[in-house]
């Protein structure tokens, strides 16, 4: 399709629906060609009357300069836009402006991607956790151009203070960032999660008290004040920074007022670990090797971690049989009972009942001779208040764990990260930003497919 360029006035009427469909307001489409499965639009702006940026005199069109941009795909075909940019010049010989090239909403100067293509790359990387390399390939640009789109558009989204609004309870949990290598210790990062919505609020390097204090110092004090509950895994570093004063300055913690909760997930995991460690030690001591397929304890290694109320008749029979043959001193049995007693704490919402059950679990584990169970007893004593706080606040770190899974998938998708700031941005875009995309009407609803005159350009894929 070729349409005469019209220098004086409006673009020809026939072109308006086309421009609306393509979402190119302010442009006229001169030509569409297709080769090798790619579409190419030849366009120019409809501006014909432009004032000089410096003196305001009506400018004179001087020249055309063509730029080629990569745009959003259209009807499954990659799109190139060939934009015949106007070069204007000022007619006033004394004006310092001389000549300039026109600008438009379509693309920033010297970019190879249109703004909406860049927004789409950022959205895919964030909302869909697509890899930057894949986006770069899809848009026919280099990795750096695609990543620049992610940082330019994503950073304001990640830094938006509105993201932090309305948070009442946060969860802290660590994930691996870099594994240990020769000459480098492993690096852990802490994720800060809004426990009520499961959104990632921030990540920082480290998981010790000093790391958490450093991060708190970067957060707005009124925001820290509004937090009521902090949910942690049973790790002393977090608790001492949340509750205790800074040993370096003696200043009280900005979170001195919050209720610290140890969440059920981590506690049950601790109890499960006690069962597994006991089983492995007993196995090793009795048979002199790690579990083999037909060893009695090895055969029930997973069943031992299943909650008692979920064991069927066959499960019970297998556990009894396995323990009878492999657990001569009843050590694994004891660890298993300890785990079940701890799980019982969470089978009630009643604080008094939960307290009684926890104290029963503490008494049982403290009296045990099994060293793994004794270790568990120590943890239960140390965290008794925080364990019971679960029943008063109802806070759980479950959402934090869900975010941890997302974090792992981001890491896999990024094939490992070396730059922490890039890593943080990726994580926040995937797990911390609410993506608002154009809602799609149901197909059976009222049809609205008539392109309006001078219709606005498409809003699909725009991040807000
Ligand atoms: Zn001028």
């Amino acid at each position: 399709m070729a349409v005469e360029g019209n220098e004086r006035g409006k673009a020809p009427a026939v072109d308006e629906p086309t421009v609306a469909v393509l979402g190119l307001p302010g442009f006229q489409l001169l030509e569409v060609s297709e080769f090798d499965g790619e579409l190419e639009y030849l366009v120019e702006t409809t501006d014909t009357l432009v004032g000089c940026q410096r003196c305001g005199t009506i400018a004179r069109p001087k020249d055309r300069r063509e730029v080629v941009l990569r745009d959003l795909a259209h009807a499954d075909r990659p799109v190139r836009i060939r934009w015949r940019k106007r070069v204007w010049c000022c007619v006033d010989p004394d004006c310092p402006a001389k000549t300039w090239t026109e600008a438009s909403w379509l693309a920033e100067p010297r970019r190879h991607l249109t703004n909406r293509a860049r927004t789409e790359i950022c959205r895919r990387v964030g909302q869909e956790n697509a890899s930057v390399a894949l986006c770069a390939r899809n848009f026919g640009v280099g990795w750096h151009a695609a990543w620049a789109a992610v940082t330019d558009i994503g950073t304001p989204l990640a830094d938006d203070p509105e993201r932090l609004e309305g948070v009442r309870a946060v969860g802290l949990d660590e994930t691996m960032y870099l594994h240990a290598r020769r000459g480098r210790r492993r690096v852990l990062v802490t994720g800060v999660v809004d426990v009520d919505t499961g959104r990632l609020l921030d990540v920082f390097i480290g998981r010790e008290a000093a790391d958490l204090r450093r991060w708190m110092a970067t957060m707005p004090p009124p925001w820290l004040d509004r937090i009521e509950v902090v949910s942690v895994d049973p790790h002393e570093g977090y608790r001492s920074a949340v509750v205790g004063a800074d040993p370096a300055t003696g200043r009280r913690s900005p979170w001195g007022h919050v209720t610290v909760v140890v969440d059920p997930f981590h506690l049950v995991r601790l109890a499960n670990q006690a069962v597994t460690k006991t089983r492995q030690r007993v196995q090793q001591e009795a048979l002199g090797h790690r579990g083999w397929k037909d060893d009695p304890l090895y055969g029930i290694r997973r069943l031992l971690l299943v909650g008692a109320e979920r064991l069927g008749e066959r499960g019970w029979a297998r556990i009894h049989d396995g323990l009878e043959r492999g657990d001569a001193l009843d050590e694994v049995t004891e660890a298993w009972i300890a785990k079940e007693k701890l799980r019982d704490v969470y089978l009630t919402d009643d604080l008094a009942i939960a307290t009684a059950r926890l104290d029963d679990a503490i008494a049982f584990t403290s009296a045990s001779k099994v060293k793994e169970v004794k270790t568990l007893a120590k943890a239960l004593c140390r965290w008794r208040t925080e364990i019971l706080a679960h029943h008063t606040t109802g806070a759980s770190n479950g959402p934090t764990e869900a975010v941890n899974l997302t974090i792992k998938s981001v890491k896999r998708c990024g094939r490992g990260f070396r730059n922490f700031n890039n890593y943080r941005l990726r994580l926040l875009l995937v797990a911390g930003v609410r993506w608002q995309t154009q809602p799609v009407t149901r197909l059976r609803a009222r049809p609205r497919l008539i392109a309006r005159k001078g219709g606005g350009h498409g809003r699909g894929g725009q991040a807000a």
Side-chain angles (χ1 to χ4, degrees):
M1 151 191 16
V3 180
E4 262 312 277
N6 189 332
E7 286 292 325
R8 267 197 304 140
K10 286 167 50 197
V14 66
D15 219 8
E16 279 181 16
T18 319
V19 167
V21 165
L22 299 180
L24 289 168
F27 282 86
Q28 56 180 324
L29 186 65
L30 305 175
E31 204 176 288
V32 176
S33 43
E34 181 177 355
F35 41 97
D36 283 348
E38 287 196 19
L39 291 177
E40 186 178 281
Y41 308 152
L42 181 65
V43 300
E44 61 183 30
T45 56
T46 50
D47 294 340
T48 48
L49 212 60
V50 169
C52 170
Q53 296 156 315
R54 292 290 186 90
C55 64
T57 321
I58 292 175
R60 182 169 63 81
K62 180 170 182 275
D63 202 0
R64 297 268 185 187
R65 192 175 296 152
E66 261 188 19
V67 294
V68 180
L69 300 163
R70 181 63 71 182
D71 194 26
L72 298 176
H74 186 85
D76 236 0
R77 282 162 298 179
V79 169
R80 264 194 316 242
I81 294 184
R82 192 178 285 278
W83 173 14
R84 301 176 60 214
K85 275 188 172 184
R86 274 197 182 85
V87 180
W88 297 96
C89 75
C90 186
V91 288
D92 183 347
D94 298 330
C95 177
K98 304 231 181 324
T99 68
W100 66 93
T101 311
E102 69 179 347
S104 153
W105 59 268
L106 185 64
E108 303 297 325
R110 284 176 293 279
R111 292 261 183 237
H112 297 297
L113 290 162
T114 61
N115 284 331
R116 58 191 183 186
R118 300 184 89 222
T119 304
E120 172 66 6
I121 289 176
C122 184
R123 188 197 64 78
R124 283 193 202 172
V125 168
Q127 193 175 22
E128 293 170 10
N129 193 13
S131 83
V132 178
L134 176 67
C135 288
R137 234 175 299 137
N138 287 345
F139 282 88
V141 293
W143 186 92
H144 289 278
W147 178 249
V150 176
T151 51
D152 290 352
I153 292 155
T155 306
L157 297 176
D159 290 345
D160 185 358
E162 221 172 89
R163 261 183 0 96
L164 299 176
E165 269 171 31
V167 180
R168 177 193 66 91
V170 301
L172 302 172
D173 198 8
E174 89 271 355
T175 51
M176 183 72 78
Y177 169 43
L178 298 171
H179 286 277
R181 264 213 316 249
R182 188 138 50 96
R184 184 186 76 196
R185 302 178 66 176
R186 67 182 187 156
V187 181
L188 294 162
V189 299
T190 298
V192 185
V193 173
D194 178 352
V195 169
D196 293 321
T197 62
R199 246 171 351 110
L200 184 65
L201 299 171
D202 205 354
V203 285
F204 59 87
I205 288 187
R207 60 164 215 156
E208 300 307 325
D211 304 313
L212 179 53
R213 285 199 187 95
R214 211 173 306 124
W215 175 79
M216 285 196 284
T218 66
M219 299 307 285
W223 182 79
L224 292 169
D225 277 346
R226 281 196 294 275
I227 302 299
E228 295 162 21
V229 176
V230 176
S231 174
V232 298
D233 62 354
H235 172 64
E236 211 47 69
Y238 292 144
R239 178 166 66 175
S240 62
V242 169
V243 178
D246 187 341
T249 62
R251 244 179 305 174
R252 67 180 279 274
S253 160
W255 269 349
H257 62 281
V258 303
T259 308
V260 181
V261 184
V262 169
D263 67 291
F265 177 89
H266 281 106
L267 216 61
V268 170
R269 189 168 68 178
L270 211 62
N272 280 344
Q273 280 167 358
V275 172
T276 300
K277 279 182 191 157
T278 313
R279 177 183 60 75
Q280 287 169 340
R281 179 178 55 78
V282 168
Q283 162 93 44
Q284 187 78 37
E285 283 170 5
L287 302 171
H289 58 71
R290 293 177 52 179
W292 290 349
K293 207 178 90 205
D294 295 324
D295 293 339
L297 288 180
Y298 188 75
I300 57 170
R301 67 192 183 286
R302 286 202 204 92
L303 265 185
L304 286 171
L305 305 182
V306 173
E309 76 283 357
R310 290 199 293 133
L311 284 171
E313 212 169 294
R314 228 184 114 236
W316 276 115
R318 281 180 58 202
I319 283 198
H320 275 293
D321 177 57
L323 290 176
E324 197 140 297
R325 291 193 292 133
D327 186 32
L329 300 172
D330 282 349
E331 290 179 289
V332 180
T333 310
E334 220 162 281
W336 184 86
I337 294 171
K339 176 207 66 159
E340 283 305 318
K341 279 181 179 294
L342 187 62
R343 289 184 74 258
D344 283 347
V345 174
Y346 296 111
L347 295 182
T348 174
D349 290 329
D350 186 296
L351 179 61
I353 299 174
T355 309
R357 286 182 183 174
L358 180 58
D359 288 340
D360 175 44
I362 290 175
F364 177 82
T365 50
S366 303
S368 170
K369 296 269 180 299
V370 181
K371 82 175 187 233
E372 291 81 2
V373 179
K374 279 190 113 49
T375 310
L376 181 64
K378 279 187 204 142
L380 297 184
C381 287
R382 249 198 331 263
W383 295 91
R384 183 176 175 275
T385 315
E386 289 81 0
I387 294 169
L388 292 172
H390 168 75
H391 288 81
T392 49
T393 63
S396 152
N397 235 358
T400 316
E401 290 310 310
V403 169
N404 280 353
L405 291 180
T406 314
I407 289 177
K408 280 175 195 152
S409 81
V410 171
K411 258 177 81 173
R412 263 198 304 278
C413 176
R415 307 279 186 279
F417 285 83
R418 265 148 298 170
N419 179 322
F420 176 72
N421 288 333
N422 290 357
Y423 182 54
R424 176 176 175 274
L425 178 62
R426 276 291 283 279
L427 292 180
L428 290 179
L429 289 179
V430 172
V433 167
R434 281 195 205 94
W435 291 91
Q436 281 167 7
T437 36
Q438 172 79 6
V440 178
T441 50
R442 290 274 312 261
L443 197 52
R444 288 288 187 83
R446 188 161 52 90
R448 280 178 23 180
L449 280 169
I450 302 153
R452 277 166 300 149
K453 235 181 131 150
H457 77 275
R459 278 172 294 159
Q462 233 171 34

